[in-house]
Amino acid sequence: MGRMKEPLPTALPVVSVVGPGGVGKTSLIEALARELGRRGHRVACIKHSHHAGLLPDPPGTDTARLAAAGAAAVVLAAPGLVCLRRADGGQWPLPALVSLLEGTADLVLTEGYREAPTPKVLVLRRGLPSVPVTGPVLAVVGDAPEGWSGPTFSHDDAAALARLLERHLGLTERH
């Protein structure tokens, strides 16, 4: 279903939930995070967006002043918060983001990153186009494409999908 790249060089297992806009990716990740947490796993989530400037630095703030001074990157760190901004507008590599989560999580669910070599859960809805993906597709949620013979789940079956992810990632239920 997708072309393969080298696996993501991280210590934490990562699964990317991908699909076209409006198919329920965020709702699925929310349900999976809740279910996997109920099963005793610490889940971290990374949402990828193509929209630049999601957290604009208002003029005059310390981070805006540091960026204006020519810093290649500005990091805002506060209790419970880290915000990373690159001056060149480039993307932070997924392995770098995942490495920030080591010791805090047992696994990472991403929304997006369809080009990353991570295992995928493909979310589809009849009438909406599919998206090209890189890496293995573990399961389809929603309407499976023609020719798909792997596991298919409904949007409301997070428990079964969580069990599949546990098996694939070698995680054991901890409650």
Side-chain angles (χ1 to χ4, degrees):
M1 183 151 242
R3 41 183 216 278
M4 294 294 294
K5 285 186 179 179
E6 290 299 312
L8 200 66
T10 65
L12 285 174
V14 178
V15 174
S16 297
V17 176
V18 299
V23 294
K25 297 181 299 288
T26 301
S27 296
L28 177 64
I29 291 172
E30 181 182 15
L32 275 174
R34 189 176 293 115
E35 177 63 24
L36 288 163
R38 187 191 68 70
R39 298 168 76 84
H41 305 294
R42 299 173 303 161
V43 180
C45 300
I46 298 174
K47 177 166 174 72
H48 183 256
S49 176
H50 295 287
H51 305 289
L54 285 176
L55 298 172
D57 294 323
T61 62
D62 292 347
T63 53
R65 289 174 49 208
L66 295 170
V74 176
V75 178
L76 172 62
L81 171 74
V82 173
C83 178
L84 305 152
R85 178 167 305 232
R86 287 176 55 156
D88 65 4
Q91 302 254 359
W92 290 95
L94 184 56
L97 298 174
V98 171
S99 71
L100 295 173
L101 301 168
E102 290 182 24
T104 303
D106 302 315
L107 72 146
V108 178
L109 298 175
T110 75
E111 181 173 338
Y113 292 101
R114 60 187 166 130
E115 295 293 322
T118 55
K120 305 291 188 294
V121 172
L122 183 57
V123 185
L124 297 174
R125 187 164 287 149
R126 200 167 319 285
L128 292 175
S130 186
V131 294
V133 298
T134 300
V137 175
L138 301 176
V140 170
V141 172
D143 301 311
E146 190 174 319
W148 172 252
S149 60
T152 302
F153 299 91
S154 68
H155 285 272
D156 61 355
D157 202 358
L161 182 54
R163 285 191 297 275
L164 177 117
L165 295 180
E166 283 177 326
R167 281 194 310 273
H168 178 78
L169 301 173
L171 301 171
T172 55
E173 188 173 350
R174 298 181 181 178
H175 11 146

